Amino acid sequence: MAAPKIIFDCDPGHDDAVAILLAAQHCEVLAITTVSGNAPLALTTQNALLMCELAELDIPVHAGADRPLLVRAAHAPRAHGATGLDGPPRPEVHRSEASNDAVGCIIETVRGHDDVWLVPVGPLTNVALAFRQAPDIVERIAGVSLMGGAVGPGNVTPTAEFNIWADPHAAQIVFTAGAPVVRMAGLNLTRQLCVGATESAALRAHGGTVPAFVAELFDFYLAGYRRRTGVAAAPMHDPCAVLAVTRPDLFAFTARHVDVETDGTLTRGMTVADERPGTDASPNCEVAVRIDASPALELIVEAVCSYR
Ligand code: RIB
Ligand code: CA
């Protein structure tokens, strides 16, 4: 079966970086687009270029939105450091972005190809702008497989996950646009897929520039989670959105109507899934509720070790 065609929209970010390596092994990545999120746009773009250069990936990187639609830009240095990719010494980056028009890239790529999946793993600003500027692409895509939201506790607030919270208005546009499929890998799912010392050791044992670099990314990422939660296990949030396209057989999904709270004082950015028995709200989302973590982790480690 042909590899799924995707546009990967990201805000690298440690888990975004691993998801790029995974996606490049299992998908035809037509483009990588970057957005302000874990770090400011200049850094998330640099980090995407860094990963493509390090892994010798011939994928164009297009920079996108440097701020959310309406709320103030917010970043996540606690989780990802000041550069967005703290941990390993930063290699020199010689590549440049293909354009500063991620939205135009999404629109033209979808118009030029059938069955493209949009795989956003950062704030949904670029995707929302593309849907607003070119509503025709909504029915052309195969679907949206996003990392974001949660059915249950958030991370940036008790009720909201960072990607959705960082641009709730964009998220509401994407969830309610009417795309053929919206698959949501929320925190309730991604917290089931954690890397730890075992995975870092496997990468180091394998050797190679990319596995060693990712092992150092894991060390930084794990140290942050150990500091904050007391547990040396770190969720591979963004790779879940890739696997939901490439290996949906590893998941269980439930069809739900999901909308996004854009204004709540305590609930801004909450993904509100209608779980009422017998609700008449028609589902607009396949909410991932379970993942078979062991084969998923093997796929991640195997993908990273497939690079030099
Ligand atoms: O809440 C987790 C999400 O926020 C992940 O996509 C991570 O990379 C950050 O962007
Ligand atoms: Ca991300």
Side-chain angles (χ1 to χ4, degrees):
M1 196 164 98
K5 289 175 282 188
I6 77 167
I7 296 171
F8 189 72
D9 186 75
C10 58
D11 61 334
H14 292 65
D15 52 330
D16 306 67
V18 175
I20 287 172
L21 300 176
L22 177 69
Q25 284 299 307
H26 296 282
C27 304
E28 183 183 353
V29 184
L30 300 174
I32 291 174
T33 52
T34 57
V35 66
S36 166
N38 284 322
L41 177 68
L43 280 168
T44 58
T45 303
Q46 269 293 87
N47 294 338
L49 291 165
L50 183 160
M51 291 310 296
C52 288
E53 187 163 333
L54 187 77
E56 298 174 4
L57 298 176
D58 183 16
I59 303 172
V61 174
H62 296 259
D66 64 359
R67 73 200 64 180
L69 297 185
L70 293 175
V71 299
R72 250 172 340 112
H75 306 304
R78 240 171 34 125
H80 300 279
T83 68
L85 214 50
D86 278 18
R90 273 178 89 80
E92 257 193 75
V93 178
H94 305 94
R95 294 190 186 188
S96 305
E97 56 269 33
S99 85
N100 291 311
D101 185 12
V103 173
C105 165
I106 293 169
I107 293 168
E108 291 319 311
T109 303
V110 171
R111 284 177 174 163
H113 296 78
D114 294 332
D115 304 323
V116 174
W117 278 91
L118 303 185
V119 183
V121 296
L124 292 163
T125 318
N126 290 337
V127 176
L129 286 168
F131 282 2
R132 272 277 189 270
Q133 282 178 33
D136 61 290
I137 69 169
V138 174
E139 61 186 13
R140 273 194 58 77
I141 59 174
V144 178
S145 179
L146 62 91
M147 190 281 138
V151 177
N155 53 8
V156 69
T157 74
T159 57
E161 177 279 326
F162 175 78
N163 288 340
I164 309 299
W165 175 87
D167 195 341
H169 300 90
Q172 186 176 59
I173 289 169
V174 173
F175 274 96
T176 59
V181 177
V182 176
R183 276 187 195 146
M184 172 179 140
L187 295 174
N188 54 293
L189 186 279
T190 63
R191 283 170 170 151
Q192 298 173 39
L193 188 67
C194 286
V195 292
T198 306
E199 287 67 35
S200 296
L203 296 181
R204 287 195 163 89
H206 183 273
T209 306
V210 175
F213 186 85
V214 173
E216 295 211 46
L217 288 179
F218 280 0
D219 290 351
F220 176 89
Y221 196 48
L222 280 161
Y225 270 91
R226 186 171 41 238
R227 213 177 24 256
R228 292 195 297 277
T229 68
V231 179
M236 279 287 103
H237 301 294
D238 296 343
C240 290
V242 175
L243 291 170
V245 174
T246 59
R247 289 297 303 271
D249 58 297
L250 297 180
F251 293 75
F253 297 94
T254 56
R256 289 281 185 270
H257 182 274
V258 176
D259 202 337
V260 178
E261 174 55 64
T262 56
D263 301 319
T265 307
L266 298 174
T267 54
R268 165 194 142 175
M270 179 178 182
T271 46
V272 182
D274 189 340
E275 302 212 270
R276 292 171 294 176
T279 178
D280 56 2
S282 56
N284 61 342
C285 183
E286 294 178 3
V287 176
V289 291
R290 204 171 50 255
I291 185 170
D292 192 346
S294 177
L297 281 175
E298 279 173 27
L299 284 166
I300 291 171
V301 171
E302 184 187 285
V304 174
C305 289
S306 67
Y307 297 91
R308 286 185 323 137

